[in-house]
Amino acid sequence: MGSPRGISRRALLAAGPLGLTAGMCGAGPVLGIDRLKLATGPEGATYRESGAALVALWNDALGRDAVEVVFTEASVDNLRLLLAEEVDLAYANVDVLRPHDGETSALLRIFDSVVHLVTLRDSGLRTLTDLAGRPVACGLPGSGTRFTGQRLMDAARVEVDVRDLGQQEAAQALVDGRVDAVFSLTAMPTPAISWLLEHAPPLHFVDLAAEAEAMRSAHPGEYLPVTISGTVYPEVATTVTLAVPTLIAVRAGFPAEAARFFTRTTVEGADALARSRPEAYQINPRTAAATVPIALHPGAADWFRSAKL
């Protein structure tokens, strides 16, 4: 990745608060560098669409196009890019980030990503063990879907015929009969599954209540039980599954003033985000600050304290 004006990104971050200065005509702070990068996700994923809306919010507050979206395979890929200093901010899940707490920190909890295990209603597949040996879309290798889905299958001692497919590719493969089920780890409603509801035969979401409890016991603090309801996906039966918090992550040493700015702008702009991105309704000062077991960045923590939680 090229460096702005011949100065390395590492040097810029080490130099302090990215040259944050007062913007003209009330435009707000302006980053004193050419570009920052936010790692998001693949086609059909909430990460990609949420990230685009978030960057638009940030750039509007900054008064110029200072932040750009980077399309990736999602959470695992995003962490790799973040640690390699190829991006500056990243969507990433708590379970993926936890081994790197200290190298990374969180600006905020942006939403909870939910495990969807989707089959066709007439397939007769009703449990995770029913999928043994069958072709299953398990997300891309660098995705949180693959990471968490593999943990689930390992815990259940289930081996499937893994297919490397992104969110939208997986949805199409289910319609075409190339896979028998789709794992998707993303916020609700996720674009690819909403597409399936319009283009596929009736769907069934596999209940993962037992697996959710096992995952919570095996990995304390990383997962929580959640219910998928028909109010989110019409005509789909209520289903128990698990979720993992998704954070906006940065490297250790990310400037405090920049962390404070991005955190404040996101939380205060949640209502505006929610007009186009329904998962943004999850953002409020209390939930956004709940990033444990990943530490809040000191600049983000400072802003949350000032918000008088």
Side-chain angles (χ1 to χ4, degrees), residues 107-123:
L107 298 187
L108 72 156
R109 180 175 177 170
I110 190 79
F111 51 70
D112 290 344
S113 288
V114 176
V115 175
H116 304 67
L117 181 50
V118 187
T119 66
L120 300 182
R121 192 178 299 168
D122 64 2
S123 68

Side-chain angles (χ1 to χ4, degrees), residues 44-63:
T46 305
Y47 276 22
R48 179 179 286 207
E49 298 193 9
S50 171
L54 186 57
V55 163
L57 176 76
W58 289 345
N59 284 338
D60 184 62
L62 289 164

Side-chain angles (χ1 to χ4, degrees), residues 49-75:
E49 298 193 9
S50 171
L54 186 57
V55 163
L57 176 76
W58 289 345
N59 284 338
D60 184 62
L62 289 164
R64 67 182 183 88
D65 292 338
V67 188
E68 66 177 297
V69 172
V70 176
F71 301 141
T72 69
E73 294 188 0
S75 192

Side-chain angles (χ1 to χ4, degrees), residues 6 87 103 163 282 300:
V87 300
E103 297 174 87
R163 303 296 172 87
Q282 297 183 43

Side-chain angles (χ1 to χ4, degrees), residues 17-32 61-64 261 264:
L18 294 179
L20 290 174
T21 58
M24 297 178 63
C25 303
V30 176
L31 291 170
L62 289 164
R64 67 182 183 88
F261 167 78
R264 174 180 62 80

Side-chain angles (χ1 to χ4, degrees), residues 210-232:
E211 290 84 356
E213 189 57 39
M215 290 280 279
R216 291 178 67 204
S217 297
H219 307 283
E222 297 180 21
Y223 302 106
L224 56 151
V226 68
T227 299
I228 302 174
S229 73
T231 59
V232 178

